[in-house]
Amino acid sequence: MVRILPRRGGVWLDLDRGEPEALTAVFADVRTLLADAAPAPVSGRQDDPLEELVGPVGAPAVIADDPALARLFPDAYGGDPQASAEFRGLTGSSLRETKLAALDAVLADLHGVVPAGRLALSGEQAERWLAALNDVRLVMGVRLQIDEDVWEELEQMPADDPRMPILELYDLLTVLQERLVHAVAGW
Amino acid sequence: MTASSGAVAPERVERPVGDEAVEPDRPWVTIVWNDPVNLMSYVTYVFQRLFGYNREKATKLMLDVHHKGRAVVSTGSREQMEHDVARLHGAGLWATLQQD
């Protein structure tokens, strides 16, 4: 299981055998999900990567058909789809770029750390890991319909349950994020 | 929210009420909503980092979100609240703004 150790100006992240690959795979999946949220433009409109998510600015909100993406770009105005769409039109591109940058940075950090290994992360890198881990866990949460009972469910789950591997991965991500928060916050 | 940490209701900054005939802008508030994925520790850390709250105040706010389903985390103009909501979305929290 992952271990976090403080170091000057950052943390050491110790990963066990199999963990670098598992992390790389799930970060890459979410990166693709975000990168692919960029459809062909509507005729006459300049290419807008977030058009699928926001629709033309000023139009009623068009939430992505994908609820996982919708969770990464939440409504800012509850009960006001138009205001939410405008807000998303203004902020969504930048938000998406920030999320992609964090995932790319984490994937770069993981590159070459196989089969098990120790990464040195600066405070800044650790912050990006926190953001990337949170986004990946949010996507998994929507995809797997995870609620607060997931830990109980995992405890009682038979070893051959088909959901076990993916929930164990969610557990790994959760433990990693929890330990990283404590290290970064200095608690 | 999920996982564990360690208290109270969020403080609200009351703006002075001006001349009612002039109808000053009602303040806007930023609300953070509970969700089953976000870690209590992470939410607390985000509140500290984004708003400069100390750990105790950030924890109290987080517990309000956790137990009551939502909490007001800041108040101000609409533009200020849009900025706060954008930053909270950047950290992966579910936040909305509304008029007080």
Side-chain angles (χ1 to χ4, degrees):
Chain A
M1 179 56 89
V2 62
R3 279 169 303 283
I4 308 270
L5 301 160
R7 60 185 277 270
R8 190 175 319 139
V11 297
W12 294 109
L13 171 54
D14 274 358
L15 297 176
D16 284 345
R17 186 169 290 272
E19 286 173 352
E21 293 93 328
L23 291 172
T24 297
V26 75
F27 284 131
D29 278 351
V30 174
R31 199 230 178 255
T32 300
L33 178 73
L34 276 167
D36 285 355
V42 169
S43 67
R45 261 190 67 89
Q46 198 160 15
D47 189 4
D48 177 352
L50 269 190
E51 193 179 296
E52 189 87 328
L53 285 174
V54 312
V57 171
V62 176
I63 308 290
D65 288 337
D66 185 340
L69 275 178
R71 176 58 187 86
L72 295 184
F73 299 89
D75 281 353
Y77 291 89
D80 189 343
Q82 174 116 10
S84 292
E86 285 174 20
F87 181 90
R88 197 175 290 114
L90 288 168
T91 61
S93 261
S94 160
L95 180 57
R96 178 169 165 269
E97 290 313 310
T98 301
K99 289 176 183 294
L100 280 168
L103 287 163
D104 283 340
V106 166
L107 285 164
D109 291 341
L110 279 167
H111 185 68
V113 182
V114 286
R118 168 170 286 200
L119 290 89
L121 298 179
S122 67
E124 220 179 277
Q125 283 172 292
E127 295 273 2
R128 284 194 289 267
W129 271 75
L130 283 176
L133 282 164
N134 204 65
D135 279 343
V136 167
R137 290 179 62 252
L138 286 173
V139 169
M140 290 183 81
V142 172
R143 291 265 188 272
L144 302 172
Q145 298 178 299
I146 286 173
D147 63 21
E148 273 138 358
D149 298 329
V150 67
W151 310 117
E152 259 181 64
E153 199 189 327
L154 196 47
E155 262 176 55
Q156 292 160 12
M157 187 171 280
D160 60 357
D161 189 306
R163 270 163 63 95
M164 177 70 90
I166 194 77
L167 286 177
E168 281 184 332
L169 176 58
Y170 181 75
D171 185 32
L172 169 64
L173 293 163
T174 302
V175 169
L176 176 46
Q177 187 178 2
E178 175 79 20
R179 290 181 181 170
L180 203 46
V181 169
H182 279 260
V184 169
W187 296 336
Chain B
M1 254 177 280
T2 195
S4 83
S5 154
V8 159
E11 288 171 28
R12 294 260 308 275
V13 177
E14 298 292 348
R15 285 176 34 158
V17 176
D19 179 1
E20 288 304 335
V22 175
E23 188 58 271
D25 279 328
R26 280 156 49 209
W28 287 72
V29 295
T30 296
I31 295 172
V32 169
W33 300 84
N34 192 30
D35 75 70
V37 167
N38 277 328
L39 288 162
M40 292 167 76
S41 58
Y42 179 69
V43 172
T44 301
Y45 169 71
V46 168
F47 288 165
Q48 282 190 247
R49 198 148 178 290
L50 293 190
F51 298 110
Y53 298 144
N54 63 26
R55 187 181 179 188
E56 192 190 341
K57 172 156 185 187
T59 302
K60 288 170 184 177
L61 267 179
M62 176 279 293
L63 287 172
D64 241 32
V65 173
H66 181 68
H67 291 302
K68 299 181 182 175
R70 46 165 278 176
V72 170
V73 298
S74 63
T75 74
S77 71
R78 183 176 180 172
E79 290 69 31
Q80 287 170 327
M81 299 303 92
E82 283 203 338
H83 179 64
D84 284 351
V85 165
R87 295 191 301 148
L88 287 161
H89 287 182
L93 270 60
W94 175 17
T96 60
L97 69 150
Q98 65 189 47
Q99 211 155 11
D100 198 3

